[in-house]
Structures are given as C-alpha cells and as structure tokens.
Amino acid sequence: MSIRILLLLLALFAFSKPTQATTNINERHLPEIYIVYVQPPEKVDLLSSKDLDDYYHSFLTPTTTDDSLPPTMVYSYRHAISGFAARMTPDHITTMRANPGFIQVHPDRIIPLAIYKVCSTMGCKVSDIAAGLDAAIKDGVDILSLSLGGPSLPYSIDPVAIGAFAAMQRGIFISCAAGNKGPSASTISNEAPWILTVGASTIDRSIRSTVKLGDGTEINGETLFQPKKFKPDQLPLVDRPFNTTNVKGKVVLCEPNGDVLDVDKGRAVKKSGGAGMIIMNAEGDAYTITADAHVLPASHISYADGLKLKAYVNSTSNATVAIIFKGTIVGNSTRAPTVASFSARGPSQRSGDILKPDIIGPGTNVLAAWPFKLKASYTSKGPTFNIMWGTSMSTPHLSGVAALIKSTHWDWSPAMIKSAILTTADKVDHQGEPIADQNRTRANLFATGAGHVNPSKAINPGLVYDIGADNYASHLCAHNYTDEDIAAITQKKTRCVDYQKFGGSDLNYPSFTGYLNTSGPLSQTYDRTVTNVGEANSTYELEVDEPSGVSVVVKPQKLQFSQVNEKASYFVTLSINASAKGSYAEGELRWVSDKHVVRSPISVFLKT
C-alpha cells in the first residue's frame, strides 16, 4: 500500500519461557520432556533406524535414586537434529552428562508462534497500544514487533518507549519501525536506546515492467499488476496532470503528487479511458521504486528515468511507448540492498549521542498476505497477497532474526541480542560496494545504522555488549530527565542522585557517537565492556578506520579470553585533530579474532 505513513500493524511474535522441571525429591521426581543434543554417530546416514535408536537409548541410563521413574524416549530425530526427546528427571540428566557424546539439553516448551490488534483504519489509539503491550507482557512473550510509531516524543510521554522499557526489564526483546518520513534528517521514530529501531532497505527482486519508447530506448520500472492479455504495442504517450481528460487509448505519464496515491492515479486514468500509466518518482525518492497493485497496465520508474521520458516527449510531436511485462527477476544487476528513500533518518532528537536507526532490513516490495482479494481490470479473481513497503515491513524481518537468536541463546538479554545483530551487520551490498542511499550515493550511518542485517552471522557474534535497566536509567539522568519523568518510564521511584550519569559515551552501546569542537570539547572517552559468547580460548585484535579529522585511541588493543561468558573492558578516546574539516565524519572499530569480526560504527559531529 503506497501510503507514506507508518503502516497500522502491531504483530507480536511470542515464544514462551522454558517450562521448569520439578526438582524436589520429597515430592518425587516426575519426568518432564527434554530435548537432548548429542554427537552424531559415525556414518549416521548408513545406520538403520533401529541402530540409531539404540545409540540414543544408550544416553538414557536409569539412576540409582529409588523414587525416580525410568527415562522414556518420546522422539528419535534423524534429519533435523542429532538427538532425541525423552521424558526424564533432573537426576537422569545429571547421569547423562557424563556420556562423552552428550552436547546439551533443553526443556521442552510451548511456542504459541501471538497477535494483538491495536490499530484500525482510523489509526492507533495510545490506550489500545498500551493495552496490547500489557497483554503481551502478561502472556510471557519473548519478542515484541511493533510496526507502528509516531513523531519523536520525550520518552516519559511516549507509550511505546514506556511499554518497551517494561518489556526490556522482563527480558523481552522489542523492535520498532523507524518511520517512513525519510530521507530528511532527524525524522526517526521509536528511538529509545532500549528499542531496536529498524530502517528499510531495498531487495534484489524486481517485478519488472519495461517502458519502451518510440525511439527504441528502454526504461525498467516495476508493477505488481501484469495482465497477460495486454499487448506491448506502441501507444500514444501524454505528459499531463493525471486528472486531464482526453486520454482515451493513451498512456499517461503521472508526475509526483503527494496528495494522491499512485493506485488512485491509475483509477482516474482508467476511468477516463486511458490504456496505461507511467508513474514518475519525486526527486527525493530518486531510484526507490515500488511494485504496486495497479488497476491498469503501468510502470513505476525512477526520477532520473522520468526526466529521460519527459525529454523524449518534448523532442517529438508523436511520442509513443509500449509497456512490456517481464515478471519477477531475482538477482538482477540493480544494486541491493540500498536504503529506501522513505526510511526515516537520524540523528535521534531524543538521544543524539546514540546512533539511530540501529539497523536496516528488507522493507521494499515485500510479498505480504492481504485480507481480501486484489481485483484488477483483466480478471474477476484477485490474489490474496499484496506487495507492501515501509519500515513496517522491515521491522518483522528483524523480529524474526531476534527470534532466531533467542531460540539459540535463551539466556541472552535483549541488549545482547541487539548487539549480536548490530556488530555482525553488512556494510556492503551484494556487489561488494558500500551500501548506497536512494540516490545511489554512499549512505551515511544515520541512514543505515550499523548496516544491513546478516542473520547467519548474528547467531554467532563472538562478543556482545550487554546493558541493564539501571544503565538506561542512568542514561536518562544524563539527558536531564527529572526523577518524575524517569519514574514514568521505569515504573518505579527513581532518584538521579543515586545513579552515576551515563551519557552515550558510557552507555554500553555497540556504537560510538561523538560531538567534538576545536574550542572544546577536544576529545571524548568511551567505556565499553564486552562479553565473550564465542570460543572459550580466543584473542581479539583491534582494527580501526579513523573518521576524517579524528584521532582514535583504544586501550587495550588486544582482548584475551579463557572462557565463555568472560568479560573484558576497553576505553576509546576520540580527539579532533588539525586536519578536521566539515561537520560530520564516519569510521569504525573492529575486534577481530580467527573466527569473528565484531564491528562498531563511529559517527562524529565536528565543529571547526
């Protein structure tokens, strides 16, 4: 739906907490179902089902406890995982851990896949949003996905920020849409540091609709509606306001008009007898084009291609075009991902010392279920899906990645999950070039955040940055929120005099944002602590790309770990130097081991 507002959707992906086994011997050990992961036997593909069952049963040794019931196999897995499910007691698990082939065990759990309706066609009421968040927290969800938002507000009166803080305190991860008011600066929504703020990117799939001019020039555009009966014949082309009459049998070039939806433009053209429509982007949207469900043959083209088309119209008194439908093309030469033009940009108005958005993910031309059939002019039956765009589409993608991480790392906090996503993000597109914006120029950090999500890397980040509720409260104190304001957010009485004030320089965030001035401050120091979630014995070496005009000093320059979950701290000092020019500079810091690259972006505002 090509509406330049936040889509009115709140989808909450629920993953229930692990069930707890009874461990009181006096109450008798009652078996519960556990999933057990074990080393696969040699040549497992050649083993019969019975041989594999016998191997799994070798792990189910009864205990000597008199009141323990014998373990019972429930499922024997062969393809999905190497292991089995069995009814066991904690005593059985203790005995089983001694088996050299044992890897790990998890209690069985129920995953109720949960959705809370808080919006209507009229919008989203604050009271309904609060009720939805309240219900989700009560139901024990692990992941909250909010594809909604509004203007930037102080956190103390922002219902999403307040509800998200309560969720975070309970270990619930929350991702929210950054908003669709890009590409202007400081348009970001949902920018609270405890929220994953998600921007939108393009994808490498095109639902191709090619415009062939009368002079033979071809321009590639997109449209979801591709009627098979439409003939790609050359037809007269008119460049007029879309509501102009006398367009029967012609293709109409529709120029930007922010007050009218693109699909509605097509309806007007069709009603007037037009044979087709070409939609030209506004200058600000540049190369970000969408494949909408139009009601007549159409093609949505970029601003630059629109100028080419207008030049062609002005060069001849007999301009013609043909619209050629080429279906879905995947992995084409078009650069992707790029930052979508509509994706809201930072810096944050509320926490300017925290880089926002956090991340970008697929949010343009996303195939989505639709509650009713789309009817077009050449068919009485329409599909029950649509192509959608917006940060409301990218947010569920990141919620799914968070759920993937949570399913693997049940004990990770929301901040650890966010860190895993941010420090493993891609900063280049599928052609190996730096991620571009809608103009096909290099996108800055206030468009991309840490970069484009990479789900496979996020599962195993090596190091993570953790943040607790009290750390966020200290951060709010540093931003001059009153005790009453902070109490409204944290839902408890808070006194800033009891907290060490943490600005963005000390909040353990996986990015660095600084403000440096030749007349002061000349430098800024950051304190960070990482937790080793990778290999037990590992060493990380420092790599730094210094922002232009900024010197970066890191101590120490090597982090060594001897065990999992071990922590290490380091300090980063950013200093303005004599070569500083301009007002903004970017760089990055990387901790590199044999198996991991843990990347943190650096953004610095300079005043010289």
Side-chain angles (χ1 to χ4, degrees), residues 40-51:
E42 294 184 5
K43 299 180 180 179
V44 62
D45 293 338
L46 302 179
L47 293 180
S48 67
S49 296
K50 184 180 182 305
D51 290 336

Side-chain angles (χ1 to χ4, degrees), residues 597-608:
V597 177
V598 185
R599 190 172 63 86
S600 292
I602 303 172
S603 60
V604 186
F605 290 95
L606 303 172
K607 188 173 182 180
T608 58

Side-chain angles (χ1 to χ4, degrees), residues 98 181 183 267 271 318 404 406-407 417 509 511 520 582 591:
K181 293 185 177 180
R267 291 191 178 99
K271 185 176 181 180
N318 186 31
L404 183 66
K406 186 72 172 179
S407 67
I417 295 174
Y509 218 76
S511 61
W591 291 108

